[in-house]
Amino acid sequence: MQTKGWGGLVTNASPYAVPPGAATEQVNLTNAIPGQLSCRKGMLPVKFVESPPPLVDVYPYESNGVTKLIGLSADGEIVELASPAYGESVAAVEPQLGVLAGQIQTSYTRRYLDGSFGDQIDPTPVPPEGSPLTNVLDGNPASAYVVDAESQCSPDSIEEVDGGSSGTAVYRPVVAISSLCET
Amino acid sequence: MITDRFSPNFPVSCAQGRHGELIIVQGNGVRPARWDGDGAARDAGVDAPDLPLDVSYAFLPENMDAADIPHPVKSAPGPAEVPETVDTRGSISVDPTRNYYVARTDIYRGGNVYYSPPEITYTTSTPIANGRGREAVAQSYLNQSAVSEVRMVDCGKYYPEPPSSNLSDSHGKGAILTATLDAPEVVVTPGNSVDTGVTGYSIISNAPWSDEAGFDLGLITTYQLFPFIEIPIEENGTFVIAGPPFGYWWTVEWSTNPALIGTRQWSPLRGYVRVTISGKVSAGTGAKLRVTGSGWYNQEGARWSSSAASATSITYGQGYTDDDDIVIRLQGNGSVDTTVPGLWGPSPPSKDIVIRAFVGTDPDNPGTTPHALRSIRIDNRGSGYLVAPDIKITSNTGFGAYATCTVKNGQIDTVTLENKGGGYTTPPKVELLSGGAEAFAVARPHLRGKYQCFFRNVDDTSEDRGGPIPSNPSGVTEVDCGEGATSLTWNVPLPEGRGKAVELWRTTSGQAITFYRVATLTTANQFLDDLTDDELRDEEREGYSAIPIILPNGEINAYRFTPPPDDRSVVVRFQDRHWYGVNPAGDSPNAVYFSEVDEPESVPLENELVLQENARDADALQAMIPYGSTLLLMQARHAYSLTFSKQPLLDAQVSPVGYRGCMNQRCWEIHDGVCYIMDQYGIYAMTQQGQIESISDPIENIFKERIDFSTSRWNFLTADPRSQVLRAFVAMREDGSQGFPTAALCYSLDSKTWWIEKYPSEITCGTNARMSNGDFRCVYGGSSGTYLLDEGKSDLGRASIESVTLTNPGAGYKKPPVVAAPGGTGAMLEASIDDEGRVSALWVKFPGYGYEGGDLFISPPDDENHPSPVQAQGTYAVTSADADMPMFPVYQYKTGNHAYATDQDDKRLGGDQDRSVTITYQPLSGQCEVSLRTYYNNSQVPRHNVAYRERGNGFVHGTVDDAARLDMAANTEEYAVDSGVATAMFSGRSLGDIRSTDRHVAVELIGASKSDSPVTFYELNVMGAE
C-alpha cells in the first residue's frame, strides 16, 4: 500500500474499503495543503485591551473603524473586547516525569519513564529553542530546568535551586514569564 | 461589562444596525439589549407608558353626558384643578377660559395702486394682558399693486377677544379730480342755486280723470286757460294756500262724486288748496313751486274737472341738499273761501295731487337736461402713485364716461377723457381707485373642538445613533375643548429604565390623523400647553415634530415602536430591517418578526410572518441566514427562502428551497459566496441558486452516531478565510461535555478532505473578525479567552492531563483495560498490556481539559481464568486550571485495513513477507518522536512488541508501549541532507488457509508535534499490503 495522497478522514465506510491515504482516524493532522499530512499548529492567544474572560459566545462588532468582539462570558455577562491583536506564542515544554519504583509514567507527548528498576526521574530534556529558561545545572542528571537566578528580580523569584534528589521532589521547568525581569 | 442580563446557558445572537447599534438577543424571556459601541447596554426598545391619559374638565363639553366622562365634572366654569401629584397614569386638565389667536387673515378687497405691501396690525379693545401673550404678526403681499395675500408670521395669542386687522395706507393718495358736464352756462340770480336749489318737480299722482267723473267725453272741452297756484317750499307742514284772485283753482266738485277736484273758471272767489309739505330736512329756503292746472269742463252741466298740468319752479332757492326728499301733497280744500271751510268737505287722500321736489344735483331731477362730460380737472395731483390708478366715474344719471391718467413722480400727471359718456344731469363723481384693501382677521380660541392626545417615553440616544428612540404611545385620549379653551395642563409620570424623557403629543383640532409633539419633559412632569394649532404645526417651533398615526398606505406608524420580542433567540439584519426569530420550544416557533426600516428596536406585532408548514412535519425554525438577496429561514429539516421588495407584509414571498435544515444560528457560515450549513445530518453547501450539495458524506456516520444532539445549541461552524478550512465544532458523545463542543470536524475547501481537530481547552465559539492590524481572521473563544486556531507554537491547556502514572500493573488482563479519568472533557487514555496479562503502560492519546488530577479508572481484569487477578491502578496529573499551559499538539492518524497478499495469491509468499512500513516526513529541528503502531485484522488493539529492537534505521521498537518510535529530528551528524524517509521493519506470513493469519493491517501514526515546524508526512508505504 502506497499513499498517492492523503484522502482525509473517511469514517462512513467499511474500514476495509478506505482507500490508501485515507484515514479512519485523523486527529489534528490536516490536509489543508494537498499532498501532505501536517499536524496543525497550536492556539495563538488573541489579546485585547482587557483580558478576556471565559467565553461561550462571541460576535464581531465594527463601528467607525474600530473593531471589537462582543462576547458572552461563562458568567452570563456580555463583555466588550477591544482592539484584537496577536498574542505571544509560548513554546511548550515537556512535562517533567518522575516515578517511584515499579511505576511507569507517561506524558501526553508519549514520553515515558519506567521505574521498574528503581526510583526514576526524567532524564534531562533539551531546552526548547528560544526558551527563557536556562539549564544552569547542565550535566546534573537530577536537575530540572531552572531559571537563571541572576535574571530574577521579582519578589517571588527563586532564591535556591534544588536540582531534586528524590522521586518526590520535582521542579517544574516552567516559571511564569511575568516573574522574570526583562534584563 | 456591557450587561449581565443574559444567561450563560444559551447562546446570544447579535446584529448591528446602520447607526452602529448592536442588538443582542437570547430569547427565553430575556429582554433584548441594545449596545452602542461603548458603555453599558440598555433595553432594546423603550417601554410604553402603562396607561393612557386621564382628562379633567372644568366644564362639561357640549354633546357629552357626564356619565361619559370617567371623572367628576364641575358644574361651574373655571380653571380645572391640576393634581398636585402624578400617579402612573398621566392626566390633562383643561382651562376653559377663552383667549384668541389669529388663525389667518383673509383678503376680501385687494385695493389698488399700493406701492408697498401694507403693514398689518391687529387691535382689540382690550389689550393682551397675559404674560405669555404676544401680538400677531403678518406679512402682506402685492400682486400687480393690489394686496393679494396675507401670511401669518406669528399668529399671536392670548387676545382676550377676536382682534380686527388694519392695513396701512401704503398706496397713492390725495389726488382729486372733478368732472365738468358739457352743458351751457346757467345764469342764476342771487339767492338761487342750480345745485342746492329746488330746480325740478315731478307730478307723482294727479287729479281725477274724466272717466272717474262719469261725463260724456263728447261733451268735454279742453279748457285752455289754466289756473295755477304758487307754493313756497320752506318747511314741512300743512298749509292752506289761496290761488290768485279770480283765478281758477281747485275746489271740490259738488257733484255726486265728491272725489273730484275741479276748478271754477268764473268764480270771483279765490280757490284754496290745502298743501302738505313733507320730507324737507335741510335748511334750504327760497324755493317756490308753481302748479299749473289743466283740465276740461262740461258746459252742459257746468261741471269741471282738472288736474295739475305742470309743476315748475318759480325760484330755486338755495341750501337744499340731496338728503331732502320733499313731497308736496295738494288737496282740495272743499271751500272757496278760507272762512268757509268744509263746504263740501275735503277730497279723499287718494285723490290728492302729489308732487315730488328735486334739488338741483338730484339725478332724478326731471328739470335737468342730461349732458356728456366735457372734461375732468385735476384739483390735486396727490402722491405715492407708482402706477397710474384707474379712474372711476360714477353717476346716478349718466353713464359711459371713461378716463385714464398718467403718473409722474408719484403724482397724477395727466387725465385723458377717453369717452365722454352721456346722460349726466349732474357732474359725476370721479375717483381714483387707490388703496382700499381690506383684510379680515380670522381669530380662533387657542383650543377649540376635540384633540387627540398621548404621551410616550423616549430615551437619550443621540441622533447620530438613530435616536432618540421612542416608545409606543400611551394610548390616545380625546380631549374636548368645546367652543373654546385656553390651555391644557399635562401631568405625566417620568419614565424609568431606558426612557429618559416624556414626549407630549396631540393633534390639531378636529382631526385624528397627524399628531404633533407638544413638548419633551426630562425633569418636570407638568407642562402648560397653550399652543395654538398654528404653533403646533409650525415646523420652526422648537421641538416640533409630526407623526401620522398611520401611513397613507395603511401601515401603522405611531404605534410601530414596540420593543423587540424577548422570546426570539436570533436576530439578523436583512435589507435594512432586523429580523427576530427562532423559538423552537415556545409559542409560534415558525413566526418571524421584522423591524421597521433602520429601526431595529421597532418591532410591532403586526410585523409578523409565519412559515406555512406544508411538509407534514412538525418542524421549527432554528436559524435565519441573510444570504444575498434572500433570507434563508432554516428549520431543523427544511429550508425556506424569504424575499421581499419594500414591505414584507405586502410583498414578502416565502418559498421552500431544500429539505435540509440547520442545527442552530451558529451552524452556518458564508464563504466565497457559498453558504455552508450544518444540520443534524451533516454539513452541506448551498449556492445562491438554491443548489444543495452535501460535503460531509465521508464522515456522515459521525453525525449519526457520535455527535451529542441533546444540547446542540452550542455547536457552531466557522469558515477560516485564511486557511480555507471549515470547522464544525460539535459535542462528541464520548467526550461528555454536556453540550459544549469538544471537537472540530474540519474540511479543507481546497483538498476536499476531512479531519478532526481537538484542543486541550474548551472552544465554545468563533467568529470572523478584523484584527487591529487589518487581518481578517477567525477568532475563537473558550475557557481561557480568545485564540486563533492552527496558529502559534503550542496548544494552551487548561486542567489538561499531562501525564499518567501506572502505579499498579494489575494482573489478569487479556485485553488492554479501559482507562478513564473522572471529570473533565475529551481526554483519551489507553493502556497497553504485556504478554503476562499486566498493564505495561498507560497512555494519553489526547489530554482533554477540565480535569482535576487524581486516580484513574482502570477497568478490572478480563481473564476469568486468571488465578489472582488484580485490577490495575494509576494516577494522572493535570496542568493548571487557572492558567493556560503551553502544550504540544498531539496527532493521530490511522489507515483503513489493507489486505496482505497471501500464499494463495502468490506461492512465493508462503515464507516471511516484508511488511515494513516506510514514512516520508519532514525532518525537524528538534527531538520529535512519532509512534507507529500496527493493527492487524481490524483489531482495536495494536500489535505488542515482543522485544526491544533498534536496528539503526531510526525506528526503535520498545516493550513499554506497542509502537515503533522514530525521532524525526533532522540527522545532523551525517554530511548528507536528511532524507526524511524511515522504515519500520516488520515481517510475517500470510497464509491463506489459516484463519488467524494476518490478512489485513492498519497503520497508525501518533505523537506530539514538538518542533517549531509542524510534523508533516508526505508518504506512507506499507509493504505487502494492497
Side-chain angles (χ1 to χ4, degrees), chain B residues 36 41 150 262 269 324 327 396 417 541 642 686 747 785 876 945:
Chain B
D36 287 311
V150 173
L269 300 176
D324 289 326
V327 175
N396 291 332
L417 186 60
R541 177 173 59 86
L642 182 150
M686 177 184 287
Y747 180 74
Y876 70 105
N945 293 323

Side-chain angles (χ1 to χ4, degrees), chain B residues 871-932:
Chain B
Q871 186 169 1
Q873 295 178 329
T875 61
Y876 70 105
V878 300
T879 66
S880 171
D882 300 324
D884 289 337
M885 171 65 75
M887 300 179 75
F888 298 112
V890 297
Y891 60 87
Q892 180 195 7
Y893 173 86
K894 185 181 178 184
T895 69
N897 296 325
H898 297 280
Y900 285 122
T902 67
D903 58 344
Q904 293 178 336
D905 300 317
D906 187 342
K907 294 300 181 182
R908 294 174 298 176
L909 299 179
D912 270 355
Q913 183 183 145
D914 184 2
R915 296 176 178 174
S916 299
V917 178
T918 301
I919 60 172
T920 304
Y921 61 93
Q922 176 65 46
L924 302 171
S925 59
Q927 181 185 19
C928 186
E929 293 179 328
V930 58
S931 294
L932 187 152

Side-chain angles (χ1 to χ4, degrees), chain A residues 1-3 6-12 15-16 18-32 34-48 52-64 67-70 72-81 83-86 89-95 97 99 102-112 114 126 129 172 174, chain B residues 1-3 6 8 10-14 16 20 35-37 465 666 697-702 714 740 751 753-759 761 764-765 767-773 775 777 782-783 786-788 790-796 802-807 830 840 842 844 886-888 890-898 933 938 960 965 1000 1006 1009-1010 1014-1022 1025-1026:
Chain A
M1 188 276 289
Q2 182 173 7
T3 58
W6 304 95
L9 184 64
V10 178
T11 60
N12 191 34
Y16 296 93
V18 174
T24 57
E25 295 180 22
Q26 184 173 331
V27 177
N28 290 341
L29 286 170
T30 76
N31 304 117
Q36 69 182 45
L37 187 67
S38 300
C39 182
R40 64 163 175 81
K41 297 179 182 177
M43 305 164 66
L44 183 66
V46 177
K47 295 191 301 183
F48 299 93
L55 298 176
V56 295
D57 208 354
V58 65
Y59 277 85
Y61 176 83
E62 284 198 25
S63 181
N64 299 324
T67 299
K68 298 178 180 178
L69 290 184
I70 305 302
L72 174 63
S73 76
D75 296 330
E77 296 179 345
I78 297 290
V79 295
E80 166 192 0
L81 305 173
S83 303
Y86 297 107
S89 178
V90 179
V93 294
E94 284 283 358
L97 301 180
V99 293
Q103 297 180 343
I104 295 178
Q105 189 175 52
T106 58
S107 72
Y108 74 96
T109 62
R110 302 193 77 80
R111 292 179 62 243
Y112 64 91
D114 188 349
V126 179
E129 185 178 352
R172 299 299 309 276
V174 173
Chain B
M1 182 188 68
I2 294 173
T3 179
F6 295 110
F10 296 93
V12 295
S13 178
C14 303
Q16 196 167 344
W35 185 63
D36 287 311
R465 290 288 188 179
R666 296 158 39 116
D697 291 344
I699 58 169
E700 183 181 332
N701 65 314
I702 293 179
W714 293 109
F740 284 114
S751 64
T753 57
W754 287 94
W755 67 91
I756 291 175
E757 289 181 0
K758 304 189 82 171
Y759 293 86
S761 60
T764 56
C765 51
T767 186
N768 287 316
R770 194 172 306 282
M771 306 292 285
S772 297
N773 67 351
D775 292 349
R777 302 301 302 270
S783 57
T786 50
Y787 323 95
L788 300 179
D790 198 12
E791 287 284 345
K793 299 177 180 177
S794 61
D795 281 351
L796 299 172
E802 62 175 357
S803 65
V804 291
T805 303
L806 178 66
T807 56
E830 63 180 2
S840 60
L842 302 175
V844 183
M887 300 179 75
F888 298 112
V890 297
Y891 60 87
Q892 180 195 7
Y893 173 86
K894 185 181 178 184
T895 69
N897 296 325
H898 297 280
R933 300 195 291 187
N938 201 31
V960 174
R965 291 171 174 255
H1000 295 86
I1006 187 169
S1009 183
K1010 302 178 185 177
V1015 169
T1016 299
F1017 301 103
Y1018 300 111
E1019 289 184 352
L1020 174 66
N1021 295 328
V1022 182
E1026 297 175 349

Side-chain angles (χ1 to χ4, degrees), chain B residues 472-802:
Chain B
N472 270 338
S474 59
V476 176
T477 297
E478 183 175 272
V479 177
D480 190 346
C481 291
E483 288 302 313
T486 291
S487 61
L488 308 175
T489 300
W490 298 66
N491 287 271
V492 293
L494 293 176
E496 298 177 352
R498 180 167 171 183
K500 302 301 180 188
V502 176
E503 287 184 346
L504 314 180
W505 292 75
R506 67 173 170 85
T507 63
T508 52
S509 176
Q511 56 99 4
I513 297 176
T514 302
F515 283 73
Y516 300 90
R517 185 166 56 200
V518 174
T520 301
L521 308 182
T522 55
T523 55
N525 55 17
Q526 190 175 90
F527 183 79
L528 178 64
D529 169 17
D530 56 2
L531 295 174
T532 66
D533 281 2
D534 287 85
E535 289 176 317
L536 202 60
R537 288 190 297 253
D538 182 8
E539 297 180 3
E540 302 297 324
R541 177 173 59 86
E542 183 178 358
Y544 166 87
S545 186
I547 183 171
I549 282 288
I550 59 173
L551 298 178
N553 63 0
E555 294 178 44
I556 62 170
N557 191 37
Y559 281 92
R560 71 179 191 268
F561 303 105
T562 303
D566 61 8
D567 61 349
R568 306 290 135 171
S569 59
V570 173
V571 58
V572 296
R573 188 183 183 197
F574 176 60
Q575 290 191 9
D576 294 335
R577 297 176 187 265
H578 278 55
W579 295 74
Y580 299 83
V582 182
N583 184 24
D587 294 335
S588 304
N590 287 313
V592 294
Y593 298 90
F594 56 91
S595 75
E596 298 295 313
V597 174
D598 286 333
E599 293 180 355
E601 299 169 84
S602 301
V603 193
L605 295 178
E606 291 79 0
N607 289 5
E608 179 188 37
L609 293 176
V610 179
L611 277 179
Q612 300 299 318
E613 185 65 65
N614 298 319
R616 298 203 313 175
D617 184 356
D619 208 349
L621 191 65
Q622 305 290 332
M624 299 189 295
I625 306 174
Y627 186 30
S629 60
T630 298
L631 178 63
L632 295 177
L633 302 177
M634 308 299 295
Q635 294 179 325
R637 296 172 293 278
H638 303 87
Y640 296 84
S641 72
L642 182 150
T643 59
F644 72 97
S645 176
K646 292 182 179 178
Q647 168 52 270
L649 284 178
L650 303 177
D651 54 21
Q653 292 190 349
V654 179
S655 306
V657 293
Y659 291 89
R660 295 294 295 267
C662 188
M663 203 174 291
N664 61 51
Q665 183 65 13
R666 296 158 39 116
C667 288
W668 59 268
E669 188 64 87
I670 297 172
H671 177 76
D672 276 351
V674 178
C675 187
Y676 297 95
I677 307 170
M678 177 166 61
D679 64 6
Q680 58 183 324
Y681 306 122
I683 300 173
Y684 61 98
M686 177 184 287
T687 66
Q688 294 197 24
Q689 291 73 37
Q691 296 174 326
I692 291 177
E693 178 188 4
S694 175
I695 61 174
S696 62
D697 291 344
I699 58 169
E700 183 181 332
N701 65 314
I702 293 179
F703 286 86
K704 293 178 180 176
E705 303 164 0
R706 296 178 60 187
I707 294 179
D708 182 4
F709 289 112
S710 61
T711 53
S712 61
R713 59 175 172 268
W714 293 109
N715 297 337
F716 68 99
L717 179 70
T718 63
D720 192 329
R722 186 179 173 111
S723 62
Q724 300 286 313
V725 172
L726 290 181
R727 286 186 173 86
F729 283 83
V730 293
M732 307 294 273
R733 289 177 179 169
E734 65 266 24
D735 292 333
S737 70
Q738 299 179 346
F740 284 114
T742 58
L745 306 177
C746 301
Y747 180 74
S748 170
L749 297 172
D750 291 334
S751 64
K752 313 295 183 188
T753 57
W754 287 94
W755 67 91
I756 291 175
E757 289 181 0
K758 304 189 82 171
Y759 293 86
S761 60
E762 195 172 58
I763 306 297
T764 56
C765 51
T767 186
N768 287 316
R770 194 172 306 282
M771 306 292 285
S772 297
N773 67 351
D775 292 349
F776 192 61
R777 302 301 302 270
C778 194
V779 179
Y780 297 86
S783 57
S784 60
T786 50
Y787 323 95
L788 300 179
L789 299 185
D790 198 12
E791 287 284 345
K793 299 177 180 177
S794 61
D795 281 351
L796 299 172
R798 277 293 179 104
S800 303
I801 298 176
E802 62 175 357

